[in-house]
Amino acid sequence: MQTIDPLIDASAARYSRGAIILHWLIALLIIGNVLGAWLSEDMPKPDRAAIMALHKAFGITILVLTLARIAWRLLHKPPPMVETLKAWEAALARVTQWLFYILMLALPLTGWAFVSGASQGKPVSIFGLFNMPALPVSFDKGTVGTFKDMHSILGNLIVALFVLHALGALKHQFLDRDATLRRMVPFLK
Ligand code: HEM
């Protein structure tokens, strides 16, 4: 568990406004991107293509927002963890956070790499506003297939992690009744 500065009331401490905005914005975009990819699987080709164009643009947006979030995190100290947290809970929370950061970077990068190889170097349109260049990856079928598989596996992993994270938040709010969720939800008393 984190050592608590006696001048900070851990039960009242919150993440900074920037961290809260980035947390919820990225969470919503990831949920939208996962649902978009899954729900469009059985759609007619033109509809699937339209949704996947948004998926790619939002995916690269998530990558940029994640970089901003990591920079923000390095510049703003997070509030101390709730004092009543058990050592295993604090450790699990830390591991989950690190895995989220890794996945939030690796997931869009593997998607981008897959699309770059599969399209043989075509740029990705960002909402029709501008293009992001293709990543310099091999067009070889095996490599493209590997990026596709990685993207799919990491997609499933982030969903599993999301479920664990959400269940943890609900446990703290309704079973432990501690101040954990309040740190990230501004309007909770
Ligand atoms: C954090 C951002 C992203 C998330 C959460 C995400 C999630 C997913 C998920 C869950 C799938 C379905 C995988 C499956 O079940 O097989 C998928 C498929 C796909 N994603 Fe992403 N993705 C992200 C970013 C990107 C980016 C940046 C690109 C490209 C620029 C991309 C391109 C694709 C493509 C083309 C597919 C379809 C793969 C196929 O043909 O089966 N994704 N994505």
Side-chain angles (χ1 to χ4, degrees), residues 81 86-98 161 164 168:
M81 285 195 186
K86 295 179 193 79
W88 69 267
E89 288 177 314
L92 186 62
R94 267 194 213 106
V95 171
T96 311
Q97 283 177 10
W98 275 104
L161 203 62
L164 179 71

Side-chain angles (χ1 to χ4, degrees), residues 29-31 33-35 37-38 41 48 52 55-63 103-104 107-115 124 148 151-153 155-156 158-159:
L29 292 178
I30 289 178
I31 292 170
N33 244 20
V34 171
L35 289 181
W38 283 354
E41 258 170 28
R48 161 105 168 138
M52 288 317 285
H55 178 96
K56 294 172 201 170
F58 276 121
I60 292 180
T61 307
I62 292 168
L63 178 63
L103 287 175
M104 288 186 310
L107 195 48
L109 281 174
T110 50
W112 193 358
F114 160 56
V115 165
V124 181
K148 181 177 162 160
H151 191 62
S152 176
I153 292 167
N156 288 327
I158 209 167
V159 171

Side-chain angles (χ1 to χ4, degrees), residues 69-155:
R69 183 161 170 195
I70 290 171
W72 188 276
R73 170 81 192 237
L74 293 174
L75 295 171
H76 300 79
K77 205 167 174 262
M81 285 195 186
V82 171
E83 289 157 66
T84 49
L85 230 56
K86 295 179 193 79
W88 69 267
E89 288 177 314
L92 186 62
R94 267 194 213 106
V95 171
T96 311
Q97 283 177 10
W98 275 104
L99 281 176
F100 261 124
Y101 281 117
I102 293 169
L103 287 175
M104 288 186 310
L105 294 173
L107 195 48
L109 281 174
T110 50
W112 193 358
F114 160 56
V115 165
S116 302
S119 69
Q120 307 215 331
K122 283 212 185 101
V124 181
S125 168
I126 306 296
F127 309 113
L129 299 173
F130 62 91
N131 286 339
M132 289 299 275
L135 291 178
V137 293
S138 161
F139 303 160
D140 152 77
K141 256 193 167 176
T143 313
V144 172
T146 305
F147 282 129
K148 181 177 162 160
D149 291 346
M150 283 171 70
H151 191 62
S152 176
I153 292 167
L154 295 179

Side-chain angles (χ1 to χ4, degrees), residues 157-178:
L157 260 181
I158 209 167
V159 171
L161 203 62
F162 174 84
V163 171
L164 179 71
H165 185 65
L167 286 177
L170 292 175
K171 169 189 174 289
H172 284 291
Q173 182 66 14
F174 296 110
L175 296 181
D176 302 342
R177 295 171 184 271
D178 63 24

Side-chain angles (χ1 to χ4, degrees), residues 8-63:
I8 298 176
D9 175 2
S11 66
R14 287 223 164 99
Y15 279 92
S16 60
R17 188 186 293 254
I20 292 176
I21 291 173
L22 283 168
H23 173 275
W24 290 108
L25 183 59
I26 293 174
L28 278 179
L29 292 178
I30 289 178
I31 292 170
N33 244 20
V34 171
L35 289 181
W38 283 354
L39 297 177
S40 67
E41 258 170 28
D42 300 322
M43 286 183 182
K45 240 186 165 184
D47 295 349
R48 161 105 168 138
I51 291 182
M52 288 317 285
L54 287 175
H55 178 96
K56 294 172 201 170
F58 276 121
I60 292 180
T61 307
I62 292 168
L63 178 63

